[in-house]
PDB file of all heavy atoms in Angstrom:
ATOM      1  N   LEU A 146      19.142-218.703  19.531  1.00 91.00           N
ATOM      2  CA  LEU A 146      19.849-218.458  20.785  1.00 91.00           C
ATOM      3  C   LEU A 146      20.415-219.783  21.269  1.00 91.00           C
ATOM      4  O   LEU A 146      19.809-220.845  20.997  1.00 91.00           O
ATOM      5  CB  LEU A 146      18.906-217.915  21.827  1.00 91.00           C
ATOM      6  CG  LEU A 146      18.309-216.539  21.561  1.00 91.00           C
ATOM      7  CD1 LEU A 146      17.183-216.264  22.514  1.00 91.00           C
ATOM      8  CD2 LEU A 146      19.414-215.456  21.690  1.00 91.00           C
ATOM      9  N   ILE A 175      10.569-213.366  20.789  1.00 98.00           N
ATOM     10  CA  ILE A 175      11.861-213.016  21.406  1.00 98.00           C
ATOM     11  C   ILE A 175      12.582-212.060  20.463  1.00 98.00           C
ATOM     12  O   ILE A 175      12.940-212.447  19.348  1.00 98.00           O
ATOM     13  CB  ILE A 175      12.719-214.274  21.671  1.00 98.00           C
ATOM     14  CG1 ILE A 175      11.916-215.339  22.415  1.00 98.00           C
ATOM     15  CG2 ILE A 175      13.973-213.892  22.457  1.00 98.00           C
ATOM     16  CD1 ILE A 175      12.724-216.644  22.656  1.00 98.00           C
ATOM     17  N   GLY A 176      12.728-210.825  20.909  1.00 98.00           N
ATOM     18  CA  GLY A 176      13.408-209.810  20.100  1.00 98.00           C
ATOM     19  C   GLY A 176      12.426-208.840  19.517  1.00 98.00           C
ATOM     20  O   GLY A 176      11.539-209.211  18.750  1.00 98.00           O
ATOM     21  N   GLY A 178      12.835-206.598  17.259  1.00 98.00           N
ATOM     22  CA  GLY A 178      13.392-206.037  16.016  1.00 98.00           C
ATOM     23  C   GLY A 178      12.272-206.079  14.942  1.00 98.00           C
ATOM     24  O   GLY A 178      11.083-206.227  15.229  1.00 98.00           O
ATOM     25  N   VAL A 179      12.709-205.897  13.701  1.00 98.00           N
ATOM     26  CA  VAL A 179      11.732-205.758  12.609  1.00 98.00           C
ATOM     27  C   VAL A 179      10.913-207.014  12.433  1.00 98.00           C
ATOM     28  O   VAL A 179       9.665-206.960  12.322  1.00 98.00           O
ATOM     29  CB  VAL A 179      12.488-205.438  11.301  1.00 98.00           C
ATOM     30  CG1 VAL A 179      11.496-205.107  10.197  1.00 98.00           C
ATOM     31  CG2 VAL A 179      13.446-204.288  11.485  1.00 98.00           C
ATOM     32  N   ILE A 180      11.538-208.175  12.438  1.00 98.00           N
ATOM     33  CA  ILE A 180      10.798-209.416  12.210  1.00 98.00           C
ATOM     34  C   ILE A 180       9.775-209.637  13.335  1.00 98.00           C
ATOM     35  O   ILE A 180       8.618-209.931  13.081  1.00 98.00           O
ATOM     36  CB  ILE A 180      11.765-210.627  12.106  1.00 98.00           C
ATOM     37  CG1 ILE A 180      12.604-210.501  10.842  1.00 98.00           C
ATOM     38  CG2 ILE A 180      10.991-211.952  12.156  1.00 98.00           C
ATOM     39  CD1 ILE A 180      13.576-211.636  10.615  1.00 98.00           C
ATOM     40  N   GLU A 183       6.839-207.122  12.952  1.00 98.00           N
ATOM     41  CA  GLU A 183       5.960-207.342  11.778  1.00 98.00           C
ATOM     42  C   GLU A 183       5.139-208.632  11.957  1.00 98.00           C
ATOM     43  O   GLU A 183       3.928-208.636  11.813  1.00 98.00           O
ATOM     44  CB  GLU A 183       6.816-207.463  10.482  1.00 98.00           C
ATOM     45  CG  GLU A 183       7.368-206.104  10.061  1.00 98.00           C
ATOM     46  CD  GLU A 183       8.089-206.127   8.714  1.00 98.00           C
ATOM     47  OE1 GLU A 183       8.307-207.225   8.126  1.00 98.00           O
ATOM     48  OE2 GLU A 183       8.444-205.035   8.241  1.00 98.00           O
ATOM     49  N   VAL A 198       9.508-210.107  24.247  1.00 98.00           N
ATOM     50  CA  VAL A 198      10.561-210.055  25.258  1.00 98.00           C
ATOM     51  C   VAL A 198      11.825-209.535  24.588  1.00 98.00           C
ATOM     52  O   VAL A 198      12.309-210.114  23.625  1.00 98.00           O
ATOM     53  CB  VAL A 198      10.853-211.445  25.869  1.00 98.00           C
ATOM     54  CG1 VAL A 198      11.810-211.338  27.026  1.00 98.00           C
ATOM     55  CG2 VAL A 198       9.551-212.090  26.326  1.00 98.00           C
ATOM     56  N   GLU A 199      12.322-208.406  25.078  1.00 98.00           N
ATOM     57  CA  GLU A 199      13.446-207.751  24.397  1.00 98.00           C
ATOM     58  C   GLU A 199      14.592-207.516  25.401  1.00 98.00           C
ATOM     59  O   GLU A 199      14.352-207.007  26.507  1.00 98.00           O
ATOM     60  CB  GLU A 199      12.978-206.445  23.754  1.00 98.00           C
ATOM     61  CG  GLU A 199      14.047-205.458  23.350  1.00 98.00           C
ATOM     62  CD  GLU A 199      15.071-206.030  22.338  1.00 98.00           C
ATOM     63  OE1 GLU A 199      14.664-206.657  21.356  1.00 98.00           O
ATOM     64  OE2 GLU A 199      16.275-205.848  22.567  1.00 98.00           O
ATOM     65  N   TYR A 200      15.792-207.813  24.978  1.00 98.00           N
ATOM     66  CA  TYR A 200      16.976-207.658  25.824  1.00 98.00           C
ATOM     67  C   TYR A 200      17.244-206.189  26.211  1.00 98.00           C
ATOM     68  O   TYR A 200      17.535-205.887  27.338  1.00 98.00           O
ATOM     69  CB  TYR A 200      18.170-208.244  25.085  1.00 98.00           C
ATOM     70  CG  TYR A 200      19.469-208.145  25.836  1.00 98.00           C
ATOM     71  CD1 TYR A 200      19.784-209.106  26.816  1.00 98.00           C
ATOM     72  CD2 TYR A 200      20.366-207.114  25.579  1.00 98.00           C
ATOM     73  CE1 TYR A 200      20.959-209.001  27.514  1.00 98.00           C
ATOM     74  CE2 TYR A 200      21.539-207.004  26.291  1.00 98.00           C
ATOM     75  CZ  TYR A 200      21.833-207.945  27.253  1.00 98.00           C
ATOM     76  OH  TYR A 200      22.986-207.852  27.946  1.00 98.00           O
ATOM     77  N   LEU A 201      17.105-205.310  25.209  1.00 98.00           N
ATOM     78  CA  LEU A 201      17.413-203.912  25.440  1.00 98.00           C
ATOM     79  C   LEU A 201      16.237-203.222  26.153  1.00 98.00           C
ATOM     80  O   LEU A 201      15.142-203.802  26.296  1.00 98.00           O
ATOM     81  CB  LEU A 201      17.707-203.211  24.116  1.00 98.00           C
ATOM     82  CG  LEU A 201      18.919-203.765  23.358  1.00 98.00           C
ATOM     83  CD1 LEU A 201      19.007-203.157  21.980  1.00 98.00           C
ATOM     84  CD2 LEU A 201      20.210-203.518  24.123  1.00 98.00           C
ATOM     85  N   PRO A 206      16.192-201.629  17.966  1.00 94.00           N
ATOM     86  CA  PRO A 206      17.516-201.032  18.200  1.00 94.00           C
ATOM     87  C   PRO A 206      18.002-200.245  16.986  1.00 94.00           C
ATOM     88  O   PRO A 206      17.777-200.686  15.862  1.00 94.00           O
ATOM     89  CB  PRO A 206      18.418-202.245  18.446  1.00 94.00           C
ATOM     90  CG  PRO A 206      17.655-203.452  17.987  1.00 94.00           C
ATOM     91  CD  PRO A 206      16.189-203.093  18.086  1.00 94.00           C
ATOM     92  N   ALA A 231      14.998-207.610  29.218  1.00 98.00           N
ATOM     93  CA  ALA A 231      14.861-208.997  29.648  1.00 98.00           C
ATOM     94  C   ALA A 231      15.596-209.932  28.706  1.00 98.00           C
ATOM     95  O   ALA A 231      15.328-209.936  27.504  1.00 98.00           O
ATOM     96  CB  ALA A 231      13.381-209.361  29.705  1.00 98.00           C
ATOM     97  N   ALA A 232      16.526-210.687  29.251  1.00 97.00           N
ATOM     98  CA  ALA A 232      17.310-211.609  28.432  1.00 97.00           C
ATOM     99  C   ALA A 232      16.707-212.993  28.500  1.00 97.00           C
ATOM    100  O   ALA A 232      16.591-213.563  29.595  1.00 97.00           O
ATOM    101  CB  ALA A 232      18.766-211.650  28.914  1.00 97.00           C
ATOM    102  N   VAL A 233      16.290-213.524  27.346  1.00 97.00           N
ATOM    103  CA  VAL A 233      15.737-214.875  27.334  1.00 97.00           C
ATOM    104  C   VAL A 233      16.879-215.867  27.571  1.00 97.00           C
ATOM    105  O   VAL A 233      17.934-215.796  26.961  1.00 97.00           O
ATOM    106  CB  VAL A 233      15.027-215.171  25.981  1.00 97.00           C
ATOM    107  CG1 VAL A 233      14.700-216.620  25.850  1.00 97.00           C
ATOM    108  CG2 VAL A 233      13.755-214.313  25.912  1.00 97.00           C
ATOM    109  N   ALA A 266      13.174-214.170  17.080  1.00 98.00           N
ATOM    110  CA  ALA A 266      13.524-213.098  16.118  1.00 98.00           C
ATOM    111  C   ALA A 266      14.646-212.293  16.655  1.00 98.00           C
ATOM    112  O   ALA A 266      14.536-211.087  16.907  1.00 98.00           O
ATOM    113  CB  ALA A 266      12.304-212.245  15.830  1.00 98.00           C
ATOM    114  N   THR A 267      15.780-212.962  16.879  1.00 97.00           N
ATOM    115  CA  THR A 267      16.930-212.341  17.539  1.00 97.00           C
ATOM    116  C   THR A 267      18.049-212.021  16.550  1.00 97.00           C
ATOM    117  O   THR A 267      19.212-211.966  16.939  1.00 97.00           O
ATOM    118  CB  THR A 267      17.438-213.245  18.662  1.00 97.00           C
ATOM    119  OG1 THR A 267      17.567-214.575  18.135  1.00 97.00           O
ATOM    120  CG2 THR A 267      16.522-213.282  19.839  1.00 97.00           C
ATOM    121  N   GLY A 268      17.702-211.819  15.314  1.00 97.00           N
ATOM    122  CA  GLY A 268      18.695-211.425  14.325  1.00 97.00           C
ATOM    123  C   GLY A 268      19.009-212.531  13.342  1.00 97.00           C
ATOM    124  O   GLY A 268      18.503-213.648  13.437  1.00 97.00           O
ATOM    125  N   ARG A 269      19.828-212.206  12.365  1.00 97.00           N
ATOM    126  CA  ARG A 269      20.209-213.164  11.349  1.00 97.00           C
ATOM    127  C   ARG A 269      21.733-213.189  11.230  1.00 97.00           C
ATOM    128  O   ARG A 269      22.427-212.241  11.653  1.00 97.00           O
ATOM    129  CB  ARG A 269      19.573-212.800   9.986  1.00 97.00           C
ATOM    130  CG  ARG A 269      18.065-212.861  10.025  1.00 97.00           C
ATOM    131  CD  ARG A 269      17.437-212.507   8.663  1.00 97.00           C
ATOM    132  NE  ARG A 269      17.802-213.443   7.613  1.00 97.00           N
ATOM    133  CZ  ARG A 269      17.183-214.595   7.395  1.00 97.00           C
ATOM    134  NH1 ARG A 269      16.182-214.978   8.156  1.00 97.00           N
ATOM    135  NH2 ARG A 269      17.580-215.397   6.412  1.00 97.00           N
ATOM    136  N   MET A 314      21.267-205.780   6.980  1.00 98.00           N
ATOM    137  CA  MET A 314      20.755-206.964   6.270  1.00 98.00           C
ATOM    138  C   MET A 314      19.434-206.603   5.636  1.00 98.00           C
ATOM    139  O   MET A 314      18.342-206.928   6.169  1.00 98.00           O
ATOM    140  CB  MET A 314      20.632-208.138   7.214  1.00 98.00           C
ATOM    141  CG  MET A 314      21.981-208.695   7.584  1.00 98.00           C
ATOM    142  SD  MET A 314      21.822-210.086   8.730  1.00 98.00           S
ATOM    143  CE  MET A 314      23.323-210.956   8.413  1.00 98.00           C
ATOM    144  N   LEU A 315      19.486-205.914   4.530  1.00 98.00           N
ATOM    145  CA  LEU A 315      18.251-205.446   3.853  1.00 98.00           C
ATOM    146  C   LEU A 315      18.308-205.793   2.391  1.00 98.00           C
ATOM    147  O   LEU A 315      19.350-205.645   1.737  1.00 98.00           O
ATOM    148  CB  LEU A 315      18.151-203.901   3.981  1.00 98.00           C
ATOM    149  CG  LEU A 315      18.021-203.371   5.425  1.00 98.00           C
ATOM    150  CD1 LEU A 315      18.189-201.851   5.461  1.00 98.00           C
ATOM    151  CD2 LEU A 315      16.660-203.794   6.018  1.00 98.00           C
ATOM    152  N   VAL A 345      12.612-199.667   6.616  1.00 98.00           N
ATOM    153  CA  VAL A 345      11.156-199.585   6.793  1.00 98.00           C
ATOM    154  C   VAL A 345      10.641-200.750   7.613  1.00 98.00           C
ATOM    155  O   VAL A 345      11.049-201.889   7.424  1.00 98.00           O
ATOM    156  CB  VAL A 345      10.446-199.611   5.394  1.00 98.00           C
ATOM    157  CG1 VAL A 345       8.924-199.503   5.580  1.00 98.00           C
ATOM    158  CG2 VAL A 345      10.957-198.503   4.500  1.00 98.00           C
ATOM    159  N   TYR A 347       7.064-202.577   8.236  1.00 98.00           N
ATOM    160  CA  TYR A 347       5.768-202.552   7.531  1.00 98.00           C
ATOM    161  C   TYR A 347       4.589-202.869   8.432  1.00 98.00           C
ATOM    162  O   TYR A 347       3.673-203.626   8.082  1.00 98.00           O
ATOM    163  CB  TYR A 347       5.817-203.501   6.344  1.00 98.00           C
ATOM    164  CG  TYR A 347       6.863-203.084   5.321  1.00 98.00           C
ATOM    165  CD1 TYR A 347       8.192-203.484   5.449  1.00 98.00           C
ATOM    166  CD2 TYR A 347       6.530-202.230   4.278  1.00 98.00           C
ATOM    167  CE1 TYR A 347       9.160-203.070   4.565  1.00 98.00           C
ATOM    168  CE2 TYR A 347       7.502-201.818   3.369  1.00 98.00           C
ATOM    169  CZ  TYR A 347       8.823-202.254   3.532  1.00 98.00           C
ATOM    170  OH  TYR A 347       9.775-201.841   2.641  1.00 98.00           O
TER     171      TYR A 347
HETATM  172  P1  LIG B   1      17.028-207.519  14.786  1.00 95.61           P
HETATM  173  O1  LIG B   1      18.485-207.535  14.863  1.00 95.61           O
HETATM  174  O2  LIG B   1      16.313-206.411  14.064  1.00 95.61           O
HETATM  175  O3  LIG B   1      16.398-207.566  16.239  1.00 95.61           O
HETATM  176  C1  LIG B   1      16.725-208.601  17.148  1.00 95.61           C
HETATM  177  C2  LIG B   1      16.366-208.176  18.555  1.00 95.61           C
HETATM  178  O4  LIG B   1      16.505-209.295  19.420  1.00 95.61           O
HETATM  179  C3  LIG B   1      17.279-207.093  19.091  1.00 95.61           C
HETATM  180  O5  LIG B   1      16.462-206.030  19.553  1.00 95.61           O
HETATM  181  C4  LIG B   1      18.017-207.790  20.265  1.00 95.61           C
HETATM  182  O6  LIG B   1      18.319-206.917  21.317  1.00 95.61           O
HETATM  183  C5  LIG B   1      17.008-208.871  20.661  1.00 95.61           C
HETATM  184  N1  LIG B   1      17.613-210.007  21.358  1.00 95.61           N
HETATM  185  C6  LIG B   1      18.718-210.699  21.055  1.00 95.61           C
HETATM  186  N2  LIG B   1      18.947-211.701  21.937  1.00 95.61           N
HETATM  187  C7  LIG B   1      17.944-211.656  22.860  1.00 95.61           C
HETATM  188  C8  LIG B   1      17.602-212.419  24.025  1.00 95.61           C
HETATM  189  N3  LIG B   1      18.339-213.439  24.478  1.00 95.61           N
HETATM  190  N4  LIG B   1      16.504-212.096  24.744  1.00 95.61           N
HETATM  191  C9  LIG B   1      15.728-211.049  24.335  1.00 95.61           C
HETATM  192  N5  LIG B   1      16.007-210.296  23.244  1.00 95.61           N
HETATM  193  C10 LIG B   1      17.076-210.599  22.493  1.00 95.61           C
HETATM  194  O7  LIG B   1      16.649-208.950  14.161  1.00 95.61           O
HETATM  195  P2  LIG B   1      15.366-209.532  13.387  1.00 95.61           P
HETATM  196  O8  LIG B   1      14.132-208.760  13.747  1.00 95.61           O
HETATM  197  O9  LIG B   1      15.432-210.987  13.694  1.00 95.61           O
HETATM  198  O10 LIG B   1      15.672-209.255  11.888  1.00 95.61           O
HETATM  199  C11 LIG B   1      16.831-209.834  11.266  1.00 95.61           C
HETATM  200  C12 LIG B   1      17.300-209.016  10.109  1.00 95.61           C
HETATM  201  O11 LIG B   1      16.338-209.033   9.072  1.00 95.61           O
HETATM  202  C13 LIG B   1      17.509-207.578  10.465  1.00 95.61           C
HETATM  203  O12 LIG B   1      18.731-207.142   9.925  1.00 95.61           O
HETATM  204  C14 LIG B   1      16.360-206.856   9.822  1.00 95.61           C
HETATM  205  O13 LIG B   1      16.696-205.538   9.404  1.00 95.61           O
HETATM  206  C15 LIG B   1      16.055-207.757   8.612  1.00 95.61           C
HETATM  207  N6  LIG B   1      14.636-207.616   8.261  1.00 95.61           N
HETATM  208  C16 LIG B   1      14.198-206.471   7.687  1.00 95.61           C
HETATM  209  C17 LIG B   1      12.878-206.291   7.395  1.00 95.61           C
HETATM  210  C18 LIG B   1      12.429-204.990   6.819  1.00 95.61           C
HETATM  211  O14 LIG B   1      13.262-204.276   6.323  1.00 95.61           O
HETATM  212  N7  LIG B   1      11.145-204.679   6.862  1.00 95.61           N
HETATM  213  C19 LIG B   1      11.876-207.339   7.691  1.00 95.61           C
HETATM  214  C20 LIG B   1      12.449-208.481   8.306  1.00 95.61           C
HETATM  215  C21 LIG B   1      13.763-208.600   8.582  1.00 95.61           C
END
Side-chain angles (χ1 to χ4, degrees):
L146 295 169
I175 309 177
V179 188
I180 293 181
E183 287 186 353
V198 186
E199 164 59 46
Y200 180 81
L201 299 172
V233 168
T267 48
R269 296 181 63 84
M314 288 180 154
L315 297 169
V345 180
Y347 297 87

